[in-house]
């Protein structure tokens, strides 16, 4: 979970550096609205398809998290090369869909890992707290990279963070 949240922080910092802060406030407004739509749309695409598929196949949740991490790795590396052209938008949308896919997979995996239903609330609370801490910690180097080099390098480092998450999920299978 730490890897996924941290990778997302690198992704969003890179997007903010390439889409929002490189233009004037008037030019950024439509891009911010577009970004908000992009963050909502993946739920409508992923949620109805994922739940039933994950429930039918044994080990599908961990395998899905591994596949998501590997795909996020590849897409982040590709996106780092296309920050200034139209390919950026479908790549960013794909990474957002993968982020929601991870979220759904994680949400369906947690109940299978706790001993009792009472522990589920505690497990989800700990995951939320861990996510916030990981996000803050990952935000520092991501922002530092953005000011020191550029958004492409933020994405490249974030790609390896995503890869770490995919490998960690593979190890737990």
């Amino acid at each position: 979970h730490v890897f996924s949240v941290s990778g997302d922080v690198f992704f969003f910092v890179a997007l903010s550096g390439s889409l929002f802060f490189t233009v004037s406030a008037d030019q950024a407004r439509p891009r911010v609205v577009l970004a908000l739509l992009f963050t909502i749309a993946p739920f409508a695409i992923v949620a109805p398809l994922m739940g039933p598929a994950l429930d039918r196949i044994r080990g599908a949740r961990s395998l899905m998290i591994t596949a998501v991490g590997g795909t996020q790795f590849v897409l982040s590396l590709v996106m780092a090369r296309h920050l200034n052209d139209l390919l950026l938008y479908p790549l960013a949308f794909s990474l957002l869909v993968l982020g929601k896919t991870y979220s759904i997979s994680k949400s369906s995996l947690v109940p299978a890992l706790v001993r009792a239903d009472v522990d589920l609330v505690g497990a989800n609370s700990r995951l939320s707290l861990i996510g916030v801490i990981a996000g803050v910690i990952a935000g520092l180097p991501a922002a530092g990279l953005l000011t020191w080099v550029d958004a492409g390098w933020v994405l490249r480092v974030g790609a390896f963070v995503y890869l770490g998450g995919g490998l960690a999920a593979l190890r737990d299978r």
Side-chain angles (χ1 to χ4, degrees):
H1 185 61
V2 168
F3 285 109
S4 179
V5 169
S6 298
D8 287 346
V9 167
F10 276 84
F11 168 66
F12 285 113
V13 167
L15 277 185
S16 69
S18 64
L19 290 178
F20 305 126
F21 297 126
T22 58
V23 297
S24 71
D26 289 335
Q27 290 175 317
R29 274 190 199 95
R31 292 180 182 192
V32 170
V33 170
L34 185 63
L36 291 173
L37 288 174
F38 273 169
T39 59
I40 295 168
F43 269 125
I45 294 170
V46 174
L49 303 173
M50 286 294 302
L54 290 175
D55 291 338
R56 288 190 187 114
I57 304 168
R58 181 173 158 77
R61 294 172 185 105
S62 295
L63 186 59
M64 181 61 68
I65 291 171
T66 299
V68 164
T71 307
Q72 286 171 316
F73 167 74
V74 171
L75 289 178
S76 293
L77 290 177
V78 172
M79 191 171 153
R81 296 181 55 119
H82 294 282
L83 286 172
N84 296 317
D85 59 51
L86 288 177
L87 192 55
L88 169 69
Y89 296 101
L91 289 168
F93 185 75
S94 297
L95 278 166
L96 289 169
V97 169
L98 287 168
K100 301 309 177 194
T101 302
Y102 164 79
S103 180
I104 291 167
S105 299
K106 176 197 58 92
S107 295
S108 66
L109 184 61
V110 172
L113 297 176
V114 295
R115 293 185 187 114
D117 289 342
V118 175
D119 297 333
L120 184 59
V121 173
N124 282 323
S125 296
R126 283 188 295 279
L127 281 173
S128 294
L129 180 60
I130 288 168
V132 168
I133 293 168
V136 169
I137 291 171
L140 297 173
L145 271 174
L146 185 61
T147 59
W148 189 43
V149 281
D150 65 8
W153 280 103
V154 175
L155 277 170
R156 288 178 186 98
V157 172
F160 285 95
V161 174
Y162 281 134
L163 181 63
L167 293 174
L170 182 63
R171 189 188 63 131
D172 287 339
R173 282 199 86 230

